[in-house]
Amino acid sequence: MDGRKSSDPHSVGDVVQAIEELAEQESTVTIGDVLRKFGDHSFAPVMLVFALIELTPAGGIPGVPTFLALCISLVALQMLFGRDHIWVPQWIGRRGASSDKLKKASQTLEKVARRVDSVAHSRLEAFASGTGLRIAAGVIIALCLIIPPFEVVPFASTGPMLAIDIICLAIMVRDGLAMLVAWGLAAAALIGLGYYSFASQAANGGYLPF
């Protein structure tokens, strides 16, 4: 950790604001900078940052959704097994984006943040704490696993990433209702991939296109 104070976000707006602050402080913002900004105990905010980036135009760049899914799944796996802080390999921690791109991304996300935060509340907390957190981590990992094959269709990975965004927000504000909605979206994404795979296999004589 460096001398900068880590923040403790409680909403999507807080996360977006923190991204903007990072972009103002650094010419290039790395994943290591993100971890230092939020603190290495902030599993949900860190995963939310990666998932939010996929919702910007950067999400349409080949390879970006898969890399973001790798980062998210690494954090989610540690949450699943009850680690008390986040660890990432140095080669991932050194990866980053220019502050200009991050500023544009945060501007795109401000409207999304306001809308999402307006409906997020603490309710049905049992689904967003305790065992619910372990289930959430497992669902996030499952969603990350289906993102690489979704990359064959432009922006198709947005659905799984949106579900991950909602799960992370639900964890942050202890919103069990949002968690249940996200699990429903996750199920829809998994069913959608299964249907697409079946249809592709039938159309290609038994061979999948990925």
Side-chain angles (χ1 to χ4, degrees):
M1 290 285 222
D2 61 15
R4 284 174 294 185
K5 182 180 178 181
S6 62
S7 58
D8 186 18
H10 297 284
S11 68
V12 179
D14 289 346
V15 171
V16 173
Q17 182 179 359
I19 293 174
E20 292 175 343
E21 290 173 358
L22 274 175
E24 292 292 338
Q25 295 168 356
E26 308 287 352
S27 58
T28 299
V29 178
T30 68
I31 290 174
D33 292 329
V34 172
L35 289 175
R36 286 187 287 272
K37 181 67 176 177
F38 293 108
D40 60 4
H41 299 278
S42 302
F43 289 85
V46 169
M47 291 188 290
L48 182 62
V49 170
F50 297 136
L52 285 173
I53 291 173
E54 200 280 337
L55 300 183
T56 69
I61 301 173
V64 169
T66 294
F67 176 72
L68 294 172
L70 171 65
C71 294
I72 294 169
S73 60
L74 179 60
V75 176
L77 190 63
Q78 294 174 68
M79 187 172 79
L80 177 66
F81 287 101
R83 283 182 63 91
D84 61 358
H85 66 277
I86 303 168
W87 171 86
V88 297
Q90 288 188 358
W91 69 270
I92 289 182
R94 289 193 295 264
R95 296 290 296 269
S98 69
S99 58
D100 289 339
K101 290 182 179 179
L102 213 55
K103 286 177 184 176
K104 290 179 181 178
S106 62
Q107 291 168 2
T108 302
L109 296 169
E110 282 178 350
K111 291 182 179 179
V112 176
R114 285 196 294 269
R115 291 177 182 175
V116 173
D117 288 340
S118 67
V119 298
H121 306 285
S122 294
R123 51 197 166 185
L124 301 177
E125 295 185 21
F127 292 101
S129 59
T131 303
L133 294 180
R134 300 292 180 91
I135 296 173
V139 172
I140 289 172
I141 293 168
L143 288 168
C144 288
L145 290 175
I146 68 173
I147 285 174
F150 262 136
E151 276 211 61
V152 299
V153 181
F155 293 103
S157 59
T158 297
M161 284 294 192
L162 179 60
I164 292 172
D165 281 325
I166 298 174
I167 291 173
C168 292
L169 177 64
I171 294 171
M172 289 162 58
V173 301
R174 294 293 188 267
D175 190 338
L177 180 59
M179 185 72 80
L180 292 174
V181 170
W183 290 352
L185 289 173
L190 291 167
I191 292 170
L193 178 62
Y195 176 79
Y196 174 77
S197 299
F198 178 80
S200 298
Q201 186 176 22
N204 289 279
Y207 294 96
L208 294 176
F210 49 79

